[in-house]
Amino acid sequence: MTSVDMTGKTVEEAVRLALNELQVGEDRIEYEVLEAPSKGLFGFIGSKPAKVRVTIKPIDPVQVAHEFLKTVFDLMKLEVQIERVGKEDSIGFNIRGNDLGILIGKHGQTLDALQYLTNLTANRDIDGKVRIILDVEDYRQRRTDTLNRLAARLADSVKRRGEKVVLEPMSPNERKIIHMALQDDQRIITYSEGEEPYRKIVIALKR
């Protein structure tokens, strides 16, 4: 439900009843007065209630995400710049500032958690879905480059020694980077084993 017609003794009461029906705050709506209230003869004969049409305003999920991040950083007392980054299939925010390692965490775990919460917040009140990617000082690209080099080096080791290599536990996104890096290698196969959050990549020779 995105709009509702509601009546009340006053316009304010009608709007309040509509807010309760729509389950949203006053900042999320706009309303049109369809019929103004009238007292009628002698103050009660033929009196008419107010009638309003209350509509939920469209939400810009990107703006919601930006405001959410700004609030988080204000609470953390971090001075940052939030840059919008152009991406084909998602919305990117690159966060810049000093000493932002706290936002990244071990292997990007804190960054992934913040990204998850940002997506939840941005998509909470919309019918479709936007995908928001967070980065801190281009960490994700640097990490991707590091994992690509690691994948190539370990694949060479597997070819020389003929023994499989089991990597340390990684997030689903980082495991995907390893899989993608070696998917065209005709002598190598990669697969994951174990349960989250301890799931690991295995690099082995094709049989």
Side-chain angles (χ1 to χ4, degrees):
M1 182 186 301
T2 59
S3 69
V4 64
D5 291 353
M6 191 66 65
T7 59
K9 292 180 180 179
T10 64
V11 169
E12 290 75 15
E13 181 183 81
V15 170
R16 187 170 64 253
L17 292 171
L19 290 174
N20 186 62
E21 178 78 14
L22 294 171
Q23 292 292 299
V24 296
E26 191 170 354
D27 61 322
R28 289 285 318 283
I29 61 96
E30 53 192 12
Y31 68 89
E32 173 189 1
V33 178
L34 301 178
E35 295 179 9
S38 62
K39 292 184 178 180
L41 186 63
F42 304 123
F44 61 91
I45 299 176
S47 61
K48 293 173 55 179
K51 184 175 183 180
V52 299
R53 175 166 296 153
V54 176
T55 304
I56 298 176
K57 292 187 290 190
I59 292 177
D60 180 356
V62 178
Q63 183 64 30
V64 171
H66 188 278
E67 291 299 323
F68 171 75
L69 290 171
K70 188 175 182 300
T71 300
V72 169
F73 300 143
D74 285 346
L75 291 172
M76 296 177 71
K77 298 186 179 346
L78 291 176
E79 294 185 6
V80 304
Q81 294 177 330
I82 306 173
E83 299 178 351
R84 173 78 177 270
V85 181
K87 291 183 176 293
E88 291 184 2
D89 59 348
S90 60
I91 306 298
F93 287 117
N94 195 14
I95 304 157
R96 298 191 181 277
N98 297 321
D99 302 321
L100 297 183
I102 188 175
L103 295 180
I104 298 174
K106 183 179 179 182
H107 298 331
Q109 291 177 345
T110 303
L111 182 58
D112 286 342
L114 181 59
Q115 178 176 285
Y116 174 75
L117 292 174
T118 302
N119 275 279
L120 275 184
T121 303
N123 289 288
R124 182 176 53 199
D125 295 318
I126 62 174
D127 294 330
K129 185 174 182 180
V130 297
R131 181 167 174 256
I132 295 171
I133 304 295
L134 298 187
D135 204 351
V136 174
E137 296 283 0
D138 302 311
Y139 163 80
R140 291 198 188 279
Q141 186 57 56
R142 297 198 309 273
R143 181 64 175 164
T144 296
D145 293 341
T146 297
L147 291 175
N148 283 332
R149 290 193 297 269
L150 175 66
R153 186 170 72 251
L154 293 179
D156 287 341
S157 175
V158 169
K159 292 173 188 175
R160 290 196 311 271
R161 301 172 59 184
E163 298 177 357
K164 70 179 182 181
V165 172
V166 181
L167 282 70
E168 64 179 2
M170 292 181 176
S171 68
N173 183 61
E174 293 196 337
R175 295 198 305 270
K176 181 179 178 180
I177 293 171
I178 299 291
H179 286 309
M180 296 290 291
L182 299 177
Q183 66 178 351
D184 295 327
D185 193 314
Q186 300 301 311
R187 298 180 57 195
I188 291 293
I189 185 173
T190 62
Y191 57 92
S192 297
E193 63 180 17
E195 300 296 328
E196 300 289 3
Y198 306 108
R199 198 160 172 78
K200 306 173 182 179
I201 285 274
V202 179
I203 302 175
L205 285 175
K206 285 183 178 178
R207 300 300 182 185

